[in-house]
Amino acid sequence: MSRAADLVPSKPTRHPAVAGGPGPGVWQRGFTLIELMVVITVIGLASAAAVLAMPDSRGRLMDEATRFAARTRAAHDAAIIAARPVSLWVTPTGYGFDEWREGRWTPLADGALKVERWSPGTGASGLTRERVLFDTTGLADRPLTLTLLREGSRAEVSITADGSVRVTG
């Protein structure tokens, strides 16, 4: 046999008649079920990886609102533990915490309660500069609802008069 015969593509295989399938002597071409399932699985895995890699602006905004609420709760607790008033101030660009010490407000330098800027693209709407004061019993001098916005997403952080903090999205 010559070498050229090895390079000629093979003809489609002849399958015996199957119940409900084509009759005897009919050539069948196409993919097997296993091949189709493998292709569909690969496409499914690739699309799942693409969806997981896409950023979710709503989730990130909720993370930021939750972090702000946790820091606010820490300030509430610090006012009770240190037996001195602690205040929270909020602006459209960030927030911070002050402590009443020696007759004046001084910024808290503690890592969790230091001045913090909102993440890029995030802003607090409907306010200029607001201050909430936690007294030595943990009560807030007034309630405050803060609305955070980013890329069409919205999260609200509510501080009630009893000093509790709640996040809604």
Side-chain angles (χ1 to χ4, degrees):
M1 215 188 257
S2 71
R3 291 292 236 185
D6 293 338
L7 301 176
V8 176
S10 62
K11 292 182 181 178
T13 57
R14 201 170 190 175
H15 297 284
V18 179
V26 177
W27 296 98
Q28 293 185 358
R29 295 177 181 244
F31 298 104
T32 65
L33 181 59
I34 297 296
E35 290 169 332
L36 290 174
M37 289 175 62
V38 167
V39 168
I40 290 172
T41 301
V42 168
I43 291 171
L45 290 173
S47 62
V51 167
L52 291 175
M54 292 177 15
D56 179 15
S57 64
R58 180 170 164 74
R60 290 188 311 218
L61 181 63
M62 288 301 291
D63 290 345
E64 187 156 7
T66 302
R67 188 171 40 254
F68 169 74
R71 289 181 174 149
T72 302
R73 287 184 195 104
H76 166 268
D77 295 345
I80 296 169
I81 293 168
R84 63 175 61 146
V86 173
S87 74
L88 155 71
W89 55 265
V90 183
T91 68
T93 59
Y95 61 95
F97 303 92
D98 296 330
E99 179 179 44
W100 187 256
R101 187 179 289 227
E102 299 174 4
R104 64 186 180 99
W105 290 109
T106 57
L108 285 169
D110 181 12
L113 300 178
K114 64 182 174 138
V115 174
E116 191 74 30
R117 297 186 67 79
W118 301 117
S119 296
T122 301
S125 71
L127 55 87
T128 52
R129 181 177 171 104
E130 300 288 335
R131 184 182 290 267
V132 174
L133 170 72
F134 295 108
D135 66 14
T136 58
T137 64
L139 297 176
D141 65 335
R142 66 188 187 91
L144 174 68
T145 298
L146 175 70
T147 303
L148 296 177
L149 300 173
R150 182 192 304 154
E151 299 173 5
S153 296
R154 173 188 181 111
E156 288 189 351
V157 181
S158 300
I159 303 169
T160 61
D162 68 355
S164 62
V165 184
R166 183 173 42 102
V167 178
T168 56

